[in-house]
Amino acid sequence: MSTTALAWNDKLVLNQPQLDHTHEEFVELLNAFGAALQSGGDALPAFQALLSHTEAHFAMEEAWMAATGFDPVNCHSSQHAMVLNVMREVVRHATELNDREPMSIVLHELAQWFPAHAEMMDAALVFHMSQVGYDPASGSLAQPLTRETSAISGCGSQGCSD
């Protein structure tokens, strides 16, 4: 088994420096967690570092969505909530039940999920931010949001898909 769960590549680059940096950190922490698992040592600290980073990462994106008029109930946010719930449950299993097996499972699942999420959901958020003139570095909009902007959910008429 390779220690690289996910390789950073051009498909993950969204040309939004703050998000690209955060995504690259996510990939590094995911791989550090994978290496800790493979070493046979206690991988929980590496997983908890990944969880902490992911909480901050998603909070940043959620703040951007709120600032740019995404409907509070949207597919992107739903995916964030689902992933955080699973990650927190993995920690609970490891700490309360002394069951480390879910960590091995979640490594593979996160490595499979993240590229699709970044390429679809996060790319759409970056596009949306550029369309409304939002500068994530300053937190400012080029112009006030309109009524039409406030209804954006990030979900097609067919509902959420992964």
Side-chain angles (χ1 to χ4, degrees), residues 71-92:
D71 187 320
V73 179
N74 65 72
C75 292
H76 196 153
S77 294
S78 296
Q79 280 196 10
H80 288 171
M82 174 198 65
V83 168
L84 290 176
N85 285 340
V86 168
M87 292 179 78
R88 290 173 182 143
E89 188 65 12
V90 167
V91 169
R92 187 185 75 76

Side-chain angles (χ1 to χ4, degrees), residues 18 23 28 30 37 39 43 49-50 104 109 125 136 141 143-144 154-155 162:
Q18 193 172 349
H23 282 178
E28 289 169 3
L30 183 68
L37 272 177
S39 76
L50 176 64
S104 298
E109 295 301 321
L125 175 59
L141 281 165
Q143 57 190 346
C155 304
D162 181 59

Side-chain angles (χ1 to χ4, degrees), residues 56-67:
H57 167 182
F58 291 174
M60 176 183 73
E61 290 182 18
E62 296 292 329
W64 292 349
M65 285 185 254

Side-chain angles (χ1 to χ4, degrees), residues 23-147:
H23 282 178
E24 196 164 3
E25 289 176 334
F26 176 88
V27 169
E28 289 169 3
L29 288 165
L30 183 68
N31 288 327
F33 165 55
L37 272 177
Q38 186 177 13
S39 76
D42 185 8
L44 185 58
F47 186 74
Q48 289 172 313
L50 176 64
L51 172 57
S52 178
H53 177 273
T54 304
E55 289 169 333
H57 167 182
F58 291 174
M60 176 183 73
E61 290 182 18
E62 296 292 329
W64 292 349
M65 285 185 254
T68 61
F70 264 70
D71 187 320
V73 179
N74 65 72
C75 292
H76 196 153
S77 294
S78 296
Q79 280 196 10
H80 288 171
M82 174 198 65
V83 168
L84 290 176
N85 285 340
V86 168
M87 292 179 78
R88 290 173 182 143
E89 188 65 12
V90 167
V91 169
R92 187 185 75 76
H93 271 257
T95 57
E96 294 177 19
L97 306 174
N98 200 28
D99 180 5
R100 304 295 171 108
E101 184 60 29
M103 287 195 293
S104 298
I105 297 166
V106 80
L107 173 67
H108 174 73
E109 295 301 321
L110 287 171
Q112 294 299 307
W113 168 81
F114 182 73
H117 179 81
E119 292 172 31
M120 291 184 289
M121 297 285 180
D122 291 343
L125 175 59
V126 169
F127 177 75
H128 169 70
M129 291 189 311
S130 72
Q131 292 299 109
V132 299
Y134 181 70
D135 176 21
S138 66
S140 65
L141 281 165
Q143 57 190 346
L145 295 175
T146 65
R147 185 179 185 144

